[in-house]
Amino acid sequence: MSIRLGNSCINCDNLMEGNTCKVHSVQVGNSYTCDSFEMKAALKVEADCVTCIRFEASDCANPQKAAPGMSCNHWAPQKASA
């Protein structure tokens, strides 16, 4: 199963501080989405070897090439929440 960026409120430009939707004026969570969804212009995701949970671990797909600034198809976040 692939993990993809979804149209959740966390990725919406209408999300304000305190997880409040500026369109609906309600508190929202990770699994919320609506028809007023507007994707944030830029996401702050730095997906390279240094931020990968597999970096310098035995399950790294490319241990000979893994280095800061590099990215690969096997990247996985060090910190994830659901």
Side-chain angles (χ1 to χ4, degrees), residues 7 34 47-48 50 67:
N7 289 354
C34 75
D48 71 3
V50 176

Side-chain angles (χ1 to χ4, degrees), residues 15-50:
L15 182 67
M16 299 186 313
E17 193 173 314
N19 288 344
T20 303
C21 173
K22 70 181 176 185
V23 173
H24 302 286
S25 300
V26 296
Q27 223 174 7
V28 295
N30 292 354
S31 60
Y32 290 68
T33 190
C34 75
D35 293 336
S36 300
F37 177 84
E38 294 290 331
M39 180 67 85
K40 288 181 181 177
L43 298 175
K44 295 179 181 177
V45 176
E46 298 194 19
D48 71 3
C49 289
V50 176

